[in-house]
């Protein structure tokens, strides 16, 4: 009997949509990547409970039907995009906030809650959930965990892995693994939740999570600085770490081509003049508004006096703060000024990034004359972003990927800092992982999903 008919009989027609009613176009792409032409989806399931997720997986595992987990589909690596006939399992109806425990500093949620909803619920309770990224209005907290999302505040609060205390996940055979731990210290055996965080839906489906909450910051200070070169950036980072201690919450670096795109190319007045060697956006979050701003101005003032920074603008209002962040967030506007493009998300040791940027640019220009590149990144987290705008049409995507990823491999960096492997980096995983590491990943996959039904064709 066909799986859709079985599941509809068991769970109801509202939970499982067959080909006639399912919105396949919406479930066939993420933010950047589309399913290959002609991929026939079997249906879309919208479970409301962990038991329903378990039921669906048990039935699909028995029938050998592939299952495609999907969150908010803001992913950038194709992890949520079907590659072959499959049943899509969307978490979007599992969106309850179950509990906020102020003493433990935790929030327990279902996986389909949207990131921004989590942020607002924490705020309403007088607390703070620090994960933040451009896709906040659609990305789901389960998707954030499945991709081990990063974003702008990793420097201070860590990646999603550091913000999750407990997970409930359903294995490929329908087994429910409930590990909704609320304690910061818990060394009772293997930390099983980590199997599901960052494994992009290939080892289990996350259904509930216990998140860590933090005290709400009372002050935010933001500045944009212009410097001569990358050694000055490293000097400024040392000063910021020493001067701001744990309050330093963002340190974003922009190379000149990127700064020009984010300002004059998009019709914005540059807050500090173009023509400098490199730009840094600094943010601190503290608990004492008056003292924090004074300290902020002292540390940055000393950097200017000592010649480490050449120019600086310190935001004096929320509007100015947003205007400075709009420059850093300009990749969302690239379709207007830098399109088509191929975007990269790699890591290298922070101290080496300054040397590698011109080297990578030169390699790309040698291989693809006329190519344009822009570099930016969360460099205090060792995370470099690069966007490449080739002259050829169609874009030689694979050849450009190969130039970038083989260089990153040669320099012992990571081909994915925060967006994951999905489908688009799968062929390049060997640049960042040894054969032994990949073999162990395959062993884990085979142990947890012996029939290979969970998100096939992704990661490994
Ligand atoms: P989806 O795209 O739906 O899925 C992503 C992967 O997770 C897929 O492999 C899917 O199968 C799996 N998955 C989803 N939900 C579950 C679940 N419950 N259980 C098991 N597997 C699941 N990312 C960053 O890290 N840092 C950034 O700064 C950042 N900025 C972004 C800015 C913009 C404008 C956009 C559009 C995206 C950005 N991203 C960033 C990428 C994206 O937002 C994250 O990868 C996000 O965590 C994905 O969540 P999602 O719910 O949309 O997942
Ligand atoms: Zn990023």
């Amino acid at each position: 009997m066909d799986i859709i008919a079985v599941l509809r009989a068991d769970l109801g027609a509202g939970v499982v949509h067959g080909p006639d009613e399912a919105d396949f176009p919406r479930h066939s792409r993420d933010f950047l990547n589309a399913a290959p032409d002609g991929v026939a989806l079997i249906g879309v399931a919208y479970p409301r409970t962990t038991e329903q997720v378990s039921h669906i997986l048990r039935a699909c595992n028995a029938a050998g039907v592939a299952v495609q987990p999907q969150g908010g589909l803001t992913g950038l690596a194709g992890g949520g995009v079907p590659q072959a006939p499959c049943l899509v399992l969307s978490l979007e109806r599992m969106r309850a906030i179950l509990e906020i425990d102020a003493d433990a500093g935790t929030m327990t949620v279902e996986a389909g809650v949207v990131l921004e909803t989590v942020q607002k619920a924490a705020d309403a309770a007088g607390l703070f959930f620090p994960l933040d990224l451009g896709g906040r209005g659609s990305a789901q907290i389960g998707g954030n965990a499945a991709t081990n999302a990063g974003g702008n505040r990793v420097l201070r609060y860590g990646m999603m892995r550091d913000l999750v205390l407990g997970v409930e996940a359903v294995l490929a055979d329908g087994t429910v693994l409930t590990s909704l731990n609320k304690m910061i210290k818990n060394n009772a055996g293997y930390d099983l939740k980590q199997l599901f965080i960052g494994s992009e839906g290939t080892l289990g489906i996350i259904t509930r999570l216990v998140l860590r909450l933090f005290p709400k910051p009372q002050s935010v200070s933001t500045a944009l600085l212009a410097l001569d070169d990358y050694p000055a950036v490293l000097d400024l980072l040392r000063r910021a770490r020493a001067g701001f201690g744990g309050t330093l919450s963002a340190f974003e670096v922009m190379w000149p081509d990127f700064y020009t795109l984010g300002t004059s190319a998009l019709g914005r007045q540059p807050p500090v003049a173009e023509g400098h060697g490199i730009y840094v956006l600094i943010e601190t979050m503290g608990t004492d508004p008056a003292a924090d701003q004074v300290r902020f101005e002292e540390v940055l003032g000393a950097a200017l006096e000592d010649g480490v920074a050449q120019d600086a603008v310190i935001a004096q209002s929320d509007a100015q703060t947003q205007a400075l962040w709009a420059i850093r967030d300009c990749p969302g506007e690239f379709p207007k000024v830098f399109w088509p493009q191929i975007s990269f998300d790699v890591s290298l040791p922070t101290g080496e990034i300054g040397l590698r940027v011109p080297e990578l640019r030169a390699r790309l220009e040698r291989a693809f004359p006329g190519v344009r590149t822009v570099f930016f990144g969360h460099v205090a987290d060792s995370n470099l972003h690069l966007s490449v705008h080739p002259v050829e049409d169609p874009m030689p995507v694979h050849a450009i990927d190969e130039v970038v990823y083989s260089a990153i491999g040669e320099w012992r960096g990571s081909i994915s800092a925060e967006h994951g492997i999905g489908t688009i980096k799968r062929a390049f995983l060997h640049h960042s992982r040894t054969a032994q590491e990949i073999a162990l990943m395959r062993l884990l996959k085979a142990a947890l999903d012996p029939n290979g039904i969970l998100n096939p064709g992704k990661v490994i």
Side-chain angles (χ1 to χ4, degrees), residues 89-429:
L89 193 156
S90 166
L91 277 299
E92 69 189 34
R93 291 196 191 156
M94 292 188 62
R95 50 181 177 223
I97 292 179
L98 301 169
E99 184 201 50
I100 293 182
D101 180 339
D103 294 324
T106 59
M107 186 190 300
T108 305
V109 294
E110 290 183 335
V113 181
V114 168
L115 171 59
E116 195 168 47
T117 308
V118 170
Q119 293 171 334
K120 285 185 175 158
D123 189 70
L127 292 160
F128 181 60
F129 183 66
L131 185 82
D132 193 38
L133 43 84
R136 68 183 73 75
S138 307
Q140 297 174 7
I141 201 73
N144 297 147
T147 56
N148 187 27
N152 295 332
R153 302 204 182 106
V154 172
L155 169 62
R156 173 155 175 195
Y157 295 98
M159 297 192 56
M160 188 61 178
R161 197 181 289 294
D162 304 296
L163 304 174
V164 177
L165 289 175
V167 156
E168 177 182 78
V170 183
L171 304 183
D173 68 358
T175 303
V176 178
L177 201 81
T178 302
S179 179
L180 292 172
N181 168 70
K182 282 190 186 179
M183 300 164 291
I184 291 182
K185 289 191 172 177
N186 184 348
N187 277 349
Y190 301 159
D191 190 356
L192 296 174
K193 68 175 179 291
Q194 301 297 356
L195 285 173
F196 307 103
I197 301 175
S199 57
E200 302 179 50
T202 60
L203 299 182
I205 294 191
I206 298 168
T207 47
R208 288 192 283 172
L209 304 99
V210 180
L211 307 171
R212 273 185 89 170
L213 301 180
F214 293 80
K216 200 193 299 199
Q218 302 300 315
S219 75
V220 178
S221 307
T222 315
L224 182 80
L225 296 95
L227 299 86
D228 282 340
D229 52 23
Y230 196 78
V233 170
L234 293 176
D235 192 336
L236 183 67
L237 178 58
R238 278 191 292 273
R239 286 164 178 259
R241 281 185 167 138
F244 303 136
T247 65
L248 180 63
S249 51
F251 190 91
E252 298 290 316
V253 176
M254 297 168 269
W255 275 259
D257 291 354
F258 179 91
Y259 188 68
T260 296
L261 274 191
T263 55
S264 53
L266 280 162
R268 293 194 185 101
Q269 183 65 30
V272 295
E274 291 177 70
H276 290 278
I278 196 157
Y279 300 83
V280 178
L281 193 161
I282 289 192
E283 179 196 81
T284 62
M285 289 181 155
T287 51
D288 184 345
D292 292 337
Q293 188 71 8
V294 170
R295 181 88 191 125
F296 193 68
E297 291 177 12
E298 271 172 14
V299 172
L300 299 187
L304 281 166
E305 263 168 44
D306 298 346
V308 171
Q310 304 308 309
D311 199 357
V313 168
I314 297 181
Q316 303 297 333
S317 64
D318 283 351
Q320 279 182 12
T321 302
Q322 280 164 21
L324 296 185
W325 272 108
I327 300 169
R328 170 58 185 82
D329 286 340
C330 77
E333 299 170 87
F334 276 2
K336 290 185 229 162
V337 285
F338 195 73
W339 208 255
Q341 54 108 39
I342 308 168
S343 67
F344 294 91
D345 156 51
V346 300
S347 318
L348 288 162
T350 300
E352 290 174 24
I353 289 177
L355 289 175
R356 299 308 187 190
V357 165
E359 213 174 320
L360 198 48
R361 189 186 290 122
R363 285 189 191 203
L364 285 163
E365 285 171 355
R366 258 199 316 275
F368 309 98
V371 71
R372 286 175 63 205
T373 54
V374 292
F375 289 85
F376 56 107
H378 325 274
V379 306
D381 315 329
S382 58
N383 185 180
L384 179 68
H385 289 308
L386 155 65
S387 288
V388 179
H389 175 65
V391 282
E392 289 105 304
D393 182 21
M395 298 193 292
V397 178
H398 191 85
I400 291 177
D401 282 353
E402 190 59 55
V403 169
V404 174
Y405 293 135
S406 60
I408 297 300
E410 190 183 317
W411 301 329
R412 295 172 171 274
S414 173
I415 63 160
S416 173
E418 58 178 10
H419 299 160
I421 298 297
T423 48
I424 64 166
K425 301 188 188 178
R426 200 174 163 218
F428 305 99
L429 188 57

